[in-house]
Amino acid sequence: MPLYFSADTLTSAKVVLVDQLPIPPLLSWGLTRFAEFERANFNGITYLNTFFLKRDQENNEVIHFHELIHIIQWRILGPKRFLFSYANGLEDFGYRDSPLEAMAYDAEAAFTAKDIFDAEKMVARKLS
């Protein structure tokens, strides 16, 4: 991971292993258009500088990379803009094609292909 992320990012990121991911109860808040997201079976989710992983994903380097991309997105956009952008992306494009997820999946694919790049600069460039 040090080839892709700064030492600051890697030391400040927190990983929490859980049996069940902490997904906000969007349906109970009246946000019915996000029902699919709430019911999805994800392996990880990121809030600010912390990502939660299902216990069986502890050693999955690819998901760690994906969630670190989201940490950079949270940092650059800030909580308000991240949540607004993420929600708009879900509503307009669905989960997989929402811009913030597409960015994370594209970076993940490059990582899996063993491409070496500065992930933080890539996220900053794509968000500008």
Side-chain angles (χ1 to χ4, degrees), residues 5-73:
F5 299 97
S6 70
D8 279 349
T9 294
L10 294 174
T11 57
S12 66
K14 296 174 181 68
V15 181
V16 180
L17 301 175
V18 294
D19 294 320
Q20 185 174 354
L21 296 178
I23 306 287
L26 302 171
L27 285 171
S28 70
W29 296 345
L31 300 171
T32 55
R33 64 187 181 265
F34 300 115
E36 182 181 329
F37 178 81
E38 187 175 339
R39 287 192 287 259
N41 186 24
F42 301 115
N43 287 315
I45 193 164
T46 300
Y47 301 109
L48 299 170
N49 70 334
T50 303
F51 58 94
F52 297 82
L53 296 179
K54 289 184 178 175
R55 291 186 193 286
D56 64 348
Q57 299 300 310
E58 177 179 12
N59 296 316
N60 183 341
E61 191 174 46
V62 174
I63 196 166
H64 282 258
F65 182 91
H66 181 103
E67 300 305 330
L68 283 164
I69 294 294
H70 289 313
I71 284 177
I72 302 306
Q73 293 168 340

